[in-house]
Amino acid sequence: NSWSHMVSIEFWLYAAMILSISGYGFYWLGIRRQLVRPNRSSWLIWSAVTTIEALTYQALNEGLAQNIVFFVSAASCLFITLAIWRQSAWQRPSDAELICIAIAFGALIIWLGFQSQFWAHVLVVAAVPVSFLPTWISAWQDKRREMSPAWGLWALGDFATLMLILSGPRQTVTDLPYIIVELVCHASIWLMIGLTSIN
């Protein structure tokens, strides 16, 4: 019935918010205590991509509950990026990172210049796995660089967001790709550093 459906939506919304914010909180503590060594360029790209994604997703899917999760994630991502840039030494972006930056700015230009939210959204989704390349390489070389429970919490938060979308009143072609790509990327880092890292 409609009441149980609303309870389901609220449950997944709160679960997604709590898991996502907790992940950013743990990662911030890891930065403060120098327990993680994040890639500065990757986080700069992620903050731009998540912000553009939240805005284009809202434009394409106005009024849906998951929009709140995406905006909170974008704000948290920007906060982490500022914290990293204050503590990390400058590193020249790799070729993959430069391509990803170009894709993110291309999405912004398409959205603002041509008023095409759909293609901007598609470009941002494509930029996500490219932006993970430096972090995948870094974690593969030394998993201690990303040894944080945040990756598990983000993966679980992505799953809760996916369930929130599937519990919603409607699904369109633009609803699922971004969160599925995010879930796969976060879960892959979690697997690389070890599932017990969530402890």
Side-chain angles (χ1 to χ4, degrees):
N1 57 38
S2 59
W3 182 82
S4 61
H5 185 252
M6 285 299 297
V7 169
S8 175
I9 289 175
E10 286 192 12
F11 171 79
W12 290 118
L13 174 61
Y14 287 125
M17 295 280 285
I18 291 168
L19 288 164
S20 178
I21 292 171
S22 298
Y24 285 106
F26 275 109
Y27 205 83
W28 178 72
L29 286 174
I31 294 168
R32 289 287 302 272
R33 297 176 181 175
Q34 298 183 339
L35 300 175
V36 293
R37 286 173 283 167
N39 183 282
R40 195 175 182 182
S41 297
S42 283
W43 276 93
L44 177 63
I45 296 165
W46 288 336
S47 64
V49 166
T50 53
T51 301
I52 296 169
E53 171 56 28
L55 293 170
T56 56
Y57 195 97
Q58 166 68 20
L60 291 167
N61 304 284
E62 190 172 351
L64 297 181
Q66 60 266 26
N67 294 342
I68 301 169
V69 180
F70 292 142
F71 275 110
V72 168
S73 292
S76 301
C77 194
L78 186 58
F79 173 79
I80 293 293
T81 301
L82 292 173
I84 291 170
W85 275 65
R86 286 183 61 188
Q87 291 190 217
S88 302
W90 165 252
Q91 292 177 318
R92 182 190 176 279
S94 66
D95 291 341
E97 290 166 341
L98 289 172
I99 290 170
C100 198
I101 291 169
I103 291 173
F105 279 107
L108 189 60
I109 291 168
I110 288 173
W111 180 38
L112 297 176
F114 298 96
Q115 298 297 305
S116 177
Q117 294 98 339
F118 175 78
W119 287 110
H121 179 81
V122 169
L123 270 178
V124 168
V125 172
V128 171
V130 178
S131 67
F132 266 84
L133 280 173
T135 301
W136 280 325
I137 293 169
S138 178
W140 182 262
Q141 292 171 341
D142 185 356
K143 66 180 182 180
R144 289 172 298 180
R145 293 173 181 166
E146 293 293 344
M147 188 62 73
S148 170
W151 295 105
L153 292 168
W154 285 327
L156 293 173
D158 293 336
F159 176 77
T161 306
L162 176 61
M163 296 307 296
L164 173 63
I165 293 170
L166 295 176
S167 300
R170 60 184 176 84
Q171 286 88 43
T172 68
V173 70
T174 59
D175 283 355
L176 296 176
Y178 176 71
I179 196 60
I180 290 173
V181 169
E182 282 278 302
L183 173 57
V184 170
C185 290
H186 285 143
S188 66
I189 300 291
W190 189 19
L191 287 170
M192 289 174 73
I193 64 174
L195 297 179
T196 55
S197 61
I198 201 167
N199 294 334

